[in-house]
Amino acid sequence: MTTPIILVYDKECPACDNYCQVVRIREDVGELILLDAREPSAVMDEITALGWDIDQGMVLKMGSQLYYGSDAIHALALISSRSGFFNRMNYWLFKSKFLSHIFYPVLRLLRNLLLKLLGKSKINNLHLSNNSHF
């Protein structure tokens, strides 16, 4: 029996949403469940309790293990399907922990710029003062 794998991300970010809708994991690994970080959930409570700012990175939960930011995209690449151009490219870009740590901050910066241009607010799961807008 395979374990559900949960990916927590900002559904209001068009780039994040497109990525999460297209990425596929191998069937033998489990079922990928997408969770909107803007909606309350037990996983978001876990993320907040760890002190992780969801505005700074997506979270991948596999069993009891949680991966944040560049570690999440790296782990996702390792369990991803290699079918289709996007999934092969995702695998080759993020299979390396080193490259994941380089590319992820760039993607996060682009996400933040996109959300600012769209007039979206931050999720601010840590309830930090003066941290509601990009």
Side-chain angles (χ1 to χ4, degrees):
M1 181 173 166
T2 57
T3 306
I5 297 164
I6 301 169
L7 183 57
V8 183
Y9 73 104
D10 185 1
K11 191 170 177 64
E12 286 192 24
C13 170
C16 303
D17 193 40
N18 284 332
Y19 173 85
C20 291
Q21 296 297 327
V22 177
V23 73
R24 298 286 177 258
I25 63 171
R26 295 188 319 269
E27 286 181 18
D28 63 323
V29 175
E31 175 190 1
L32 184 62
I33 298 169
L34 303 177
L35 277 185
D36 184 357
R38 292 181 185 266
E39 297 293 323
S41 68
V43 179
M44 273 306 298
D45 291 344
E46 272 185 87
I47 292 165
T48 301
L50 289 168
W52 290 350
D53 184 349
I54 198 70
D55 288 309
Q56 298 303 314
M58 68 171 81
V59 173
L60 184 70
K61 181 174 183 177
M62 297 190 317
S64 61
Q65 184 69 45
L66 280 86
Y67 301 90
Y68 177 61
S70 61
D71 291 329
I73 207 164
H74 170 67
L76 192 57
L78 296 179
I79 63 170
S80 70
S81 163
R82 309 300 188 272
S83 64
F85 176 77
F86 175 83
N87 286 292
R88 279 194 301 276
M89 188 66 113
N90 182 64
Y91 172 73
W92 286 106
L93 279 176
F94 299 111
K95 71 177 184 173
S96 158
K97 201 169 213 176
F98 176 75
L99 290 178
S100 296
H101 287 300
I102 290 173
F103 289 130
Y104 194 81
V106 174
L107 294 175
R108 186 180 61 227
L109 173 69
L110 294 173
R111 170 200 177 260
N112 291 344
L113 282 171
L114 177 60
L115 290 178
K116 183 175 183 135
L117 289 171
L118 294 173
K120 302 286 184 183
S121 65
K122 288 185 177 183
I123 297 169
N124 197 13
N125 64 305
L126 299 178
H127 306 290
L128 302 171
S129 61
N130 298 321
N131 193 36
S132 59
H133 294 347
F134 287 98

